[in-house]
Amino acid sequence: MRHFSHFACVDWSGARSERPNGIAVAMIGPEGPPSLLSPQPRWSRADILAWLLRLAETGQDILIGFDLSMSLPFVDQGAYFPEWQHSPADAKSLWNMVDRLCSDDPHLSVPSFLNHPEARRHFRHSRDHVGDLFGTGVGRLREVERYQRETKQANSASCFNLVGAAQVGKSSLTGMRLLHQLRGAIPVWPFDPVPDRGPVIIEIYTTVAALAAGLPKGRSKVRDRGGLEDALAELDTALPAPLRHYDDHSTDALITAAWMKRTAPAQALWTPPAMTAEIAQKEGWTFGVV
């Protein structure tokens, strides 16, 4: 199995501002506790892109987890956007489309895509504005999201839902812009083969890491030092120096980086039985879901 020396978790945000409060990055190396990477005043999505490109240049053996969905549902209806003639054929074509349609939107935001006359039909934009092709209930799910719900590993939300605190649509779409702008500089699992060396990007879900760290379902957010200490102890990881502020974005990143270091050597997580070749290329998969 591939060896990584460092592990990083990026807690992402889809907010339209240049430097959202919700972005946090934590890293852990071969020894010692995880730590936050904290530029001043705060991370922007452009900062994250530049950081990734630097990692690509150095060739560091680092596994980087992003807390976002790297594609949209496809398998359930045989298309990302049924009834749209130009619906993309695979995830990388989807990244290209989102970034191209949003080329004039600043900070890797995605209002132009969400307002496109064909794209907007598939999203729940607000309680009173639901696209005619959104569907019913929670909305369409990727196969990994459906599988997580069936196996009770997580209560995954639909990327087509843009409403409420649990919505993941905007963060996922902004993440697709970033992935496209990387231009293949870093392989992204499972869309790309995992190379023998250098950085690799994966999709993670911080709730999966939180549950592995002993946090209860429905109460997986940590906002104090005691909770962080308990979670890291469950993962056999040392506690970092005191943080300036204990918000759930920072603690999610710290806990998940530690979890990634502990679980990455498990071959089963890289070859989940429910992930077919079609799912891997069109929808992707959340690392850690088996």
Side-chain angles (χ1 to χ4, degrees):
M1 185 56 223
R2 168 68 194 277
H3 171 76
F4 295 95
S5 62
H6 291 74
F7 304 84
C9 172
V10 181
D11 198 45
W12 192 244
S13 171
R16 289 182 65 172
S17 60
E18 180 180 6
R19 298 183 183 277
N21 291 327
I23 296 181
V25 183
M27 182 185 293
I28 188 169
E31 298 179 358
S35 61
L36 291 175
L37 306 184
S38 304
Q40 296 298 328
R42 289 191 299 270
W43 285 102
S44 69
R45 285 183 284 267
D47 291 336
I48 298 292
L49 177 60
W51 172 65
L52 292 173
L53 292 172
R54 289 194 299 272
L55 289 175
E57 289 179 356
T58 64
Q60 185 176 20
D61 289 321
I62 181 171
L63 184 63
I64 309 148
F66 274 81
D67 184 24
L68 55 88
S69 297
M70 293 184 175
S71 187
L72 295 173
F74 184 102
V75 174
D76 63 336
Q77 296 192 30
Y80 297 115
F81 307 107
E83 299 189 22
W84 189 356
Q85 180 182 357
H86 301 295
S87 182
D90 55 36
K92 291 188 177 181
S93 300
L94 174 64
W95 303 348
N96 186 346
M97 170 187 269
V98 174
D99 193 40
R100 175 172 48 81
L101 292 177
C102 298
S103 59
D104 292 332
D105 296 339
H107 318 313
L108 297 182
S109 60
V110 291
S112 294
F113 183 78
L114 294 175
N115 290 325
H116 187 281
E118 289 293 340
R120 66 185 299 129
R121 300 177 65 192
H122 298 268
F123 290 87
R124 177 189 281 144
H125 300 266
S126 68
R127 186 179 64 178
D128 300 320
H129 179 193
V130 181
D132 64 299
L133 295 178
F134 174 77
T136 59
V138 300
R140 294 173 59 197
L141 297 171
R142 295 187 300 159
E143 290 302 290
V144 67
E145 294 155 356
R146 183 186 59 77
Y147 181 76
Q148 282 179 303
R149 282 176 166 259
E150 285 184 355
T151 57
K152 302 187 185 305
Q153 294 183 61
N155 193 27
S156 302
S158 170
C159 297
F160 287 115
N161 175 51
L162 307 176
V163 182
Q167 70 91 7
V168 295
K170 291 178 183 176
S171 62
S172 297
L173 292 168
T174 59
M176 292 176 204
R177 291 198 65 188
L178 176 137
L179 293 172
H180 181 253
Q181 292 193 22
L182 274 174
R183 302 292 195 275
I186 298 179
V188 182
W189 177 89
F191 310 102
D192 300 310
V194 176
D196 293 334
R197 63 187 63 183
V200 174
I201 292 172
I202 58 175
E203 171 187 322
I204 50 88
Y205 184 26
T206 56
T207 299
V208 171
L211 295 177
L215 295 166
K217 287 185 178 181
R219 291 180 293 156
S220 62
K221 297 301 181 184
V222 171
R223 298 181 178 90
D224 58 64
R225 187 164 179 81
L228 179 61
E229 181 176 14
D230 291 344
L232 291 178
E234 187 72 20
L235 297 172
D236 299 319
T237 302
L239 187 67
L243 308 183
R244 293 181 182 178
H245 178 64
Y246 288 86
D247 61 84
D248 54 288
H249 306 295
S250 299
T251 57
D252 275 353
L254 290 162
I255 293 167
T256 305
W259 170 80
M260 289 169 58
K261 179 179 180 179
R262 183 177 181 181
T263 59
Q267 177 63 38
L269 299 187
W270 296 94
T271 55
M275 184 185 72
T276 65
E278 180 187 28
I279 291 171
Q281 291 304 307
K282 297 184 184 300
E283 296 191 349
W285 197 262
T286 308
F287 187 80
V289 176
V290 291

